[in-house]
Amino acid sequence: MIGKKVIFRSRGLPLLLLAPQLLVILVFFFWPAGQAVYQAFHLADPFGQHFEYVGLDNFRRLFNSPEYYASLWATTVFSAGVAIVSLGSGLLLAAFVDHVRRGRAVYKSLIIWPYAVAPVLAGVLWLFLFHPIYGVVAFALARIGIGWNPLLNSNQAMALVVMAAAWKQVSYNFVFFLAGLQAIPRSVLEAAAIDGAGPLYRFRTIVLPLLTPTTFFLLVINLVYAFFDTFGIIHAVTHGGPGGATNILVYKVFADGFIGQDLGSSAAQSIVLMVIVVSLTVLQFRFLERKVHYG
């Protein structure tokens, strides 16, 4: 069925219909972005009322700060952990559900539910499970002799926020991986099975290459998610601690700007963070896309 094409006699009505969305983008994206660029080159008082032009001083101070490089390393570890765990778990669950014949809809609904949970709530749930005093999982670990205290141990704190952030994103990856698996022609897999190829061999040589477009897309989305959308989880679970071990870049922007009242440094960090994410995305499209098989 071909949709009916609407032709406007003038540009006034289309622009009027687009005006609310354009206004939202202007107010909530371009205006804050412009403010960040302006503040990155100025020194502001704690109340943001008076600004003094300082050129690139905020950026120089940022790149001479050991704390910033520690935060950059924490972000690298956190993002890589979230991408690996969430992509691996999503693919594994999709592969299992793809072979289920009874109750598939129930499994899909149960796996998709976590995506509807707000990041802050996801962080609180995982903190309740793994809290060293009242956490059920922490209690079970203590009973088998495993010490667990993410409030004091930096490695355990990083592991906890990675698990919480990955759990939140597994549902998203699962949906795309399952759609990709169901798009693979069954005749190809059946022909390989007839030729004697085992399940793991078929998965490695047929399924994974055909899933590379989906995997590449999800890799970009997961890295952007880890860099920007995990603030609520960090804030709910660790507040960037202990000792700055989970103080990733997006949380440091908040901590320096709203807690430390250093608006210039916070604005400079937000610009650097945006440049890092855009650069990573361009590099992924420049180099990794060459290995993607589009069929």
Side-chain angles (χ1 to χ4, degrees):
M1 180 178 179
I2 301 175
K4 186 177 180 181
K5 186 177 181 180
V6 178
I7 299 176
F8 295 98
R9 295 182 179 179
S10 66
R11 295 183 178 180
L13 182 56
L15 291 176
L16 183 63
L17 296 175
L18 287 174
Q21 184 62 36
L22 294 175
L23 182 62
V24 169
I25 295 175
L26 179 66
V27 172
F28 293 101
F29 181 76
F30 286 105
W31 185 71
Q35 283 287 101
V37 173
Y38 176 80
Q39 292 180 0
F41 296 95
H42 290 77
L43 182 65
D45 63 63
F47 302 101
Q49 299 297 320
H50 302 286
F51 294 89
E52 178 184 353
Y53 179 74
V54 294
L56 296 174
D57 283 357
N58 287 325
F59 293 95
R60 293 193 190 96
R61 189 156 49 94
L62 192 63
F63 292 125
N64 290 326
S65 169
E67 292 182 359
Y68 187 73
Y69 289 105
S71 176
L72 185 61
W73 173 247
T75 305
T76 303
V77 174
F78 174 76
S79 303
V82 170
I84 292 172
V85 174
S86 61
L87 285 174
S89 302
L91 178 58
L92 186 64
L93 291 171
F96 284 150
V97 171
D98 188 44
H99 287 83
V100 171
R101 293 293 176 263
R102 297 181 60 184
R104 177 183 293 184
V106 176
Y107 291 123
K108 287 195 290 186
S109 299
L110 292 176
I111 295 173
I112 293 172
W113 272 358
Y115 193 67
V117 178
V120 174
L121 185 55
V124 171
L125 289 173
W126 280 81
L127 182 60
F128 269 116
L129 290 173
F130 286 89
H131 195 280
I133 297 176
Y134 48 78
V136 176
V137 179
F139 176 76
L141 292 174
R143 292 296 298 268
I144 59 176
I146 299 177
W148 177 266
N149 192 344
L151 303 182
L152 297 177
N153 188 303
S154 58
N155 292 329
Q156 293 177 359
M158 178 59 77
L160 180 58
V161 293
V162 166
M163 287 190 294
W167 174 76
K168 178 75 175 63
Q169 190 68 3
V170 163
S171 307
Y172 186 89
N173 299 334
F174 165 78
V175 171
F176 280 88
F177 276 132
L178 183 61
L181 288 172
Q182 293 179 344
I184 296 175
R186 297 295 171 187
S187 58
V188 177
L189 298 175
E190 292 170 358
I194 293 173
D195 289 339
L200 290 178
Y201 187 79
R202 294 198 302 270
F203 188 80
R204 182 171 60 84
T205 59
I206 299 176
V207 175
L208 281 181
L210 292 177
L211 281 179
T212 48
T214 305
T215 307
F216 174 70
F217 165 75
L218 289 176
L219 177 62
V220 175
I221 295 296
N222 278 259
L223 287 178
V224 173
Y225 160 76
F227 270 84
F228 286 112
D229 291 344
T230 51
F231 165 80
I233 293 174
I234 299 293
H235 190 61
V237 179
T238 62
H239 294 276
T246 59
N247 191 22
I248 62 175
L249 291 177
V250 68
Y251 192 79
K252 184 171 171 56
V253 170
F254 161 78
D256 289 353
F258 288 88
I259 299 176
Q261 295 294 302
D262 190 350
L263 300 180
S265 176
S266 177
Q269 290 177 47
S270 65
I271 292 176
V272 173
L273 178 60
M274 178 64 73
V275 171
I276 291 174
V277 173
V278 171
S279 301
L280 283 176
T281 305
V282 171
L283 287 175
Q284 288 172 355
F285 276 94
R286 180 70 177 80
F287 296 104
L288 293 183
E289 195 182 24
R290 295 177 179 176
K291 300 181 180 180
V292 173
H293 302 276
Y294 288 101

